[in-house]
Amino acid sequence: MKIRASILYWHARPALAWTLAVVAFLYFTLSNGHFLNAGNLYALIQLFSTLMLVAAGLAIVMIAAEFDLSIAGTFPLAGLVAVQASDKIGVVPAMLLAVVVGLLVGALNGWITGRFRIPSLAVTVATMVLTIGIGFEITGSQLVTMTDYTASLTLTQRVLGVFSVGSLIQIVIAIAAYLFLRSSWRGRFVYAVGSDAARARASGLPVTATLVFAFMVCAGFASVAGALQGVSLATGQAGSNDSFLLQCATAALIGGVALTGGRGSLTGVFGGAFLLTVLTNGLGLAGVNSALILLVNGIVLAAVVLVDRPLNRFIDRRLRAEMPIGQPPTQTSSEPAPTH
Amino acid sequence: MMTVTKAADPARRPKRPVTVTGTTVIAVATVLVGIVASLTVDSFATAANMRGLFLSVSIIGIIAVGLSLITIVGKVFTLAIPALVALSTITFASTLYLGPWIALLITVAGAAAIGLIQGLVIGKLETDPIITTIAAAAILIGIGQLWTNGRTVVGTGEATLFNSSLFGAIPFQTLAFALVAAALFWWHKYTVSGRKLTLVGLNEKAALISGLRSWPMVTLAFVVSGATTGLGGALLSAQSGQGTLTLGASFGFDAIVAVVVGGVAITGGIGTPLGAAVGAIFVGLLENVLALVGLNYETQLVIKGVLVLAAVTLMGVTGRAGRSR
């Protein structure tokens, strides 16, 4: 019965994230008359849907107790591929091509991480450099643009006032991911692998396949979002997108995804993404410059990281103390390698 | 050195030779590439190119040598290097009017202080190093933007001292690189605190049981890395007498590439600062040769990515540290 209290805590994290998001939303609504404009809400949802999707992908990798730095490269790369190829093979095939490229990067990440048991940080740093390099390579370090704007206009056309085709696609995929992770076998495998890979392997779960799957989902989501953004803007420039990676990681952590793996739900991640979007949009609307917004993002992430660990350890200790002797501890909190 | 390792984990001992060859392989490869290049590429073995090569390697090398300590102590990387380099160039340029040495001192001290904060947070509060340094990078860039309003800071003062060459051939920066690499190598290998650093990275639990807390070593690693990054930023700024936020953007990757290629294991405890220095020289040399052969920057970036991937995978396959999964 006491154990239920701690499970309640893990369910409370998404609620906490959403509460903060709603509070921020209400604050900006009251403090700025333009915040609830259809135009501003549209811009907010454009931002939110992208962040929501990519953060969901990163969260799935984090639940599997790994991390993917390469989305800082995959996300812009997908946009470049989509923009660059669309003049030759058409917009839809170009976007599919971009997603395929992303999936390949993800498969590579997952395979090397799972098969050779190499820390994913090392692997994804390498693929991040690789994808940024490929981005420069295919564009020749030039700004690339699309000649045909019809696809951009279709994607960014308003639906129901505040949505767009692009944002709806991303929201639908993100919600599908949430349902999948919650109630499919493969989704539960991700949790099992993340909470204790050795035990998962010993009980016959396909650990490597699950990791490959998680990384492919992450890179796939990043490239869908990247391709949509690239085509929407009809332009692209090679480089890394570090601040976006920062936001995704922050969203996942605010939402209660534990860096040690095996914990967290996508509802929380969506809440975290919403909070960050509202903050970015609201501050931007209030005329705060982008450097300060970046600073705020950094401070939010630092605060979450600082609070997260002691809080989780406290909950764990409570849980451990309440458990009857002889039962295995639920989390490897004494493990020295938090990144693993 | 061996007794420490033995006491920590006897099963790990046989793996030592593998990692030694890891760095040795790169050293041999560096020499081979150098010989082949000087024989086949005409413009390689010229004084001007050598000077350029030394210059390009030195700053990355200084940063990589410091970064390797973070990797050795088991905290993977810091992703705040580009931000810290940028902030250091700004600090150096804005304090240059006090004189080059004082500016250098202020820059290094400031960067070390930033390293100290990160080290304390990561070591004492046991936060995740990657996430913490991502946050730190955002905060540093934000501060830098507010400080300079995104403009380039032009220093008023003479910094030519740091661009001079000793004996006409060795740039000042290369001398600094050699000194930093030698000092850190010596410290890491022959002092008690250096050995403690390795033990913490190799096996944190064993270190704790033998009465060695990890956080002072982690903090120390971050302070040293901060100081070397500050030094790198100051030297970079001295080249042009300017400081701006976009300077040093590529240094984060390059330093990580150098550390990984130089045979420092990402899992911690294995490798030396000298390995990182050799890695930096290898990467710099390869870049130089590729550029001379006519490959562009884009292709070099792709090759760098492949190189890290290969190095990481090879280290994982040969020097399996027995991590449980």
Side-chain angles (χ1 to χ4, degrees), chain B residues 193-217:
Chain B
S193 53
R195 295 285 83 202
K196 281 181 178 170
L197 188 91
T198 310
L199 177 57
V200 167
L202 210 51
N203 194 335
E204 200 177 337
K205 268 182 203 162
L208 192 63
I209 290 168
S210 52
L212 179 61
R213 287 179 190 281
S214 66
W215 73 264
M217 305 323 292

Side-chain angles (χ1 to χ4, degrees), chain A residues 66-67 69 108 112-114 116-119 121-123 125-130 132-134 136-137 140-141 197-198 201 207 211 240 245-246 249 253 259 289 291-292 294-295 298-299 301-302 305-306 309 313 334-340, chain B residues 74-77 79 121 125-132 134-143 145-146 149 204-205 253 256-257 260 266-267 296-306 308-309 312-317 320 323-325:
Chain A
E66 300 291 350
F67 198 81
L69 290 168
L108 185 69
I112 295 180
T113 306
F116 301 109
R117 303 182 198 179
I118 294 166
L121 281 171
V123 178
V125 151
T127 47
M128 172 165 71
V129 179
L130 193 62
I132 293 169
I134 295 172
F136 276 113
E137 183 84 52
S141 302
R201 187 162 275 165
V207 172
L211 283 178
S240 71
L245 174 68
L246 166 88
L253 286 170
L259 275 166
N289 75 26
L292 204 59
L294 185 66
L295 195 66
I299 290 171
L301 179 55
V305 170
L306 284 180
R309 183 113 180 167
R313 197 184 300 161
S334 58
E335 192 80 34
T339 55
H340 182 62
Chain B
K75 293 297 176 188
V76 198
F77 301 130
L79 292 178
V121 168
L125 305 172
E126 294 178 34
T127 61
D128 183 85
I130 294 298
I131 302 291
T132 311
I134 288 178
I139 295 173
L140 291 178
I141 289 287
I143 291 174
Q145 281 271 9
L146 293 179
N149 283 323
E204 200 177 337
K205 268 182 203 162
F253 291 149
I256 289 175
V257 173
V260 171
I266 236 73
T267 44
N296 53 7
Y297 168 74
E298 295 87 24
T299 319
Q300 291 175 30
L301 212 56
V302 174
I303 289 175
K304 245 186 256 176
V306 173
V308 185
L309 205 58
V312 162
T313 314
L314 273 178
M315 288 281 289
V317 174
R320 181 79 50 85
R323 293 168 66 89
S324 60
R325 183 190 291 286

Side-chain angles (χ1 to χ4, degrees), chain B:
Chain B
M1 166 196 151
M2 271 328 219
T3 52
V4 173
T5 322
K6 212 185 277 176
D9 187 359
R12 218 177 274 273
R13 228 190 100 202
K15 271 150 204 155
R16 280 245 157 225
V18 176
T19 53
V20 169
T21 46
T23 304
T24 320
V25 164
I26 294 301
V28 171
T30 310
V31 174
L32 280 181
V33 171
I35 292 173
V36 171
S38 54
L39 289 179
T40 55
V41 184
D42 287 336
S43 46
F44 178 75
T46 58
N49 185 51
M50 278 298 138
R51 191 181 144 80
L53 175 62
F54 280 139
L55 273 178
S56 73
V57 165
S58 298
I59 294 180
I60 293 170
I62 291 171
I63 298 171
V65 167
L67 175 67
S68 71
L69 293 180
I70 292 180
T71 314
I72 292 171
V73 83
K75 293 297 176 188
V76 198
F77 301 130
T78 162
L79 292 178
I81 285 178
L84 194 52
V85 170
L87 210 58
S88 298
T89 61
I90 294 169
T91 315
F92 185 80
S94 14
T95 52
L96 192 56
Y97 68 91
L98 296 169
W101 285 105
I102 295 174
L104 184 76
L105 210 65
I106 292 175
T107 309
V108 171
I114 291 169
L116 175 72
I117 297 170
Q118 291 178 54
L120 280 177
V121 168
I122 291 165
K124 194 84 176 156
L125 305 172
E126 294 178 34
T127 61
D128 183 85
I130 294 298
I131 302 291
T132 311
T133 52
I134 288 178
I139 295 173
L140 291 178
I141 289 287
I143 291 174
Q145 281 271 9
L146 293 179
W147 184 3
T148 62
N149 283 323
R151 282 194 286 269
T152 301
V153 178
V154 182
T156 48
E158 274 298 298
T160 46
L161 173 68
F162 298 136
N163 299 318
S164 58
S165 289
L166 297 145
F167 315 118
I170 307 165
F172 181 87
Q173 302 175 351
T174 309
L175 186 73
F177 171 41
L179 284 178
V180 169
L184 286 183
F185 176 68
W186 174 81
W187 175 73
H188 168 259
K189 187 152 181 164
Y190 296 110
T191 66
V192 174
S193 53
R195 295 285 83 202
K196 281 181 178 170
L197 188 91
T198 310
L199 177 57
V200 167
L202 210 51
N203 194 335
E204 200 177 337
K205 268 182 203 162
L208 192 63
I209 290 168
S210 52
L212 179 61
R213 287 179 190 281
S214 66
W215 73 264
M217 305 323 292
V218 172
T219 309
L220 189 60
F222 273 90
V223 170
V224 174
S225 167
T228 57
T229 309
L231 180 61
L235 292 178
L236 183 69
S237 173
Q239 287 177 358
S240 59
Q242 294 180 341
T244 180
L245 277 174
T246 48
L247 269 179
S250 66
F251 282 13
F253 291 149
D254 288 344
I256 289 175
V257 173
V259 167
V260 171
V261 171
V264 180
I266 236 73
T267 44
I270 299 169
T272 68
L274 200 63
V278 174
I281 295 172
F282 177 73
V283 173
L285 183 68
L286 203 66
E287 252 175 36
N288 184 277
V289 173
L290 290 178
L292 287 181
V293 170
L295 289 179
N296 53 7
Y297 168 74
E298 295 87 24
T299 319
Q300 291 175 30
L301 212 56
V302 174
I303 289 175
K304 245 186 256 176
V306 173
L307 203 64
V308 185
L309 205 58
V312 162
T313 314
L314 273 178
M315 288 281 289
V317 174
T318 56
R320 181 79 50 85
R323 293 168 66 89
S324 60
R325 183 190 291 286

Side-chain angles (χ1 to χ4, degrees), chain A residues 85-107:
Chain A
S86 60
D87 284 347
K88 292 174 195 108
I89 56 175
V91 174
V92 175
M95 289 173 70
L96 288 179
L97 179 69
V99 175
V100 169
V101 170
L103 288 175
L104 284 177
V105 174

Side-chain angles (χ1 to χ4, degrees), chain A residues 313-329:
Chain A
R313 197 184 300 161
F314 172 71
I315 299 292
D316 266 3
R317 206 169 290 160
R318 289 292 302 270
L319 178 70
R320 192 92 45 84
E322 288 150 7
M323 268 194 146
I325 296 161
Q327 262 188 309

